[in-house]
Amino acid sequence: GDSVTQMEGPVTLSEEAFLTINCTYTATGYPSLFWYVQYPGEGLQLLLKATKADDKGSNKGFEATYRKETTSFHLEKGSVQVSDSAVYFCALKGNNDMRFGAGTRLTVKP
Amino acid sequence: EAEVAQSPRYKITEKSQAVAFWCDPISGHATLYWYRQILGQGPELLVQFQDESVVDDSQLPKDRFSAERLKGVDSTLKIQPAELGDSAMYLCASSLGRETGGYTFGSGTRLTVV
């Protein structure tokens, strides 16, 4: 079945560092891909999405490109801030329900 | 900005007791989802509604869990009896139902079974 694998955390960075969180997927057909962010004690918020190959989703300085050839959707940000500290989830939606990765906890230190 | 409302935010219950969670989706969203998120893991679907009908409840432990969306708007998820392993965050989400769209999640209900 459809599944998502993302890099294990936790990830700890200094403010203004470059961020990459890896995400790969397995799916039949052509799923839509998403990144969600979850702050402590809160639900998930949609960060960005891409619906077809080579699409780039972007929001709040974060971006991810839908790479069909490598079945990947890595999340990147050029300069992280303390306020970016949260758990990030990669997800896909194919023909069935949305499937989530296990999440990657990011901590940004000043 | 429209939100998915959930209540309560936190619930502590003793094992073998009954507990219920409520969700009010974004107005006009025909599809409603209940997810369970165990600490340190990603959310997993429990049940999906399209209007008032259940579309997918294959992962819902039906011996103790039930869900309803009687008028196709708000929804209730019930656990009876609660077990220690049910301690988790219960998330409700809604969507327009279009396949490429994302879901809008509520803030969740944190359940602790003691």
Side-chain angles (χ1 to χ4, degrees), chain A residues 51-103:
Chain A
T51 59
K52 61 183 186 298
D54 299 325
D55 268 1
K56 178 185 284 188
S58 61
N59 186 25
K60 300 180 181 179
F62 292 90
E63 60 182 34
T65 301
Y66 190 141
R67 301 288 189 198
K68 190 172 187 300
E69 64 276 12
T70 55
T71 61
S72 66
F73 192 55
H74 305 320
L75 182 68
E76 297 181 335
K77 186 176 186 183
S79 176
V80 293
Q81 305 300 311
V82 172
S83 57
D84 294 326
S85 297
V87 180
Y88 292 81
F89 292 92
C90 185
L92 71 79
K93 188 175 188 320
N95 294 325
N96 299 309
D97 60 282
M98 191 169 295
R99 304 289 173 88
F100 291 85

Side-chain angles (χ1 to χ4, degrees), chain A residues 32 34 36 38 41-44 49 51 89 93 97-98 100-102, chain B residues 9 35 37 40-43 45 91 99-103 105-107:
Chain A
S32 295
F34 306 84
Y36 282 84
Q38 186 175 35
E42 298 293 326
L44 278 68
K49 70 175 184 179
T51 59
F89 292 92
K93 188 175 188 320
D97 60 282
M98 191 169 295
F100 291 85
Chain B
R9 285 296 305 274
Y35 278 84
Q37 184 182 19
Q41 300 182 20
L45 182 71
L91 295 165
E99 289 187 0
T100 58
Y103 299 175
F105 282 83
S107 296

Side-chain angles (χ1 to χ4, degrees), chain A residues 105, chain B residues 37-42 87-89 110:
Chain A
R105 179 175 299 279
Chain B
Q37 184 182 19
I38 296 170
L39 190 63
Q41 300 182 20
S87 295
M89 175 80 88
R110 169 71 67 189

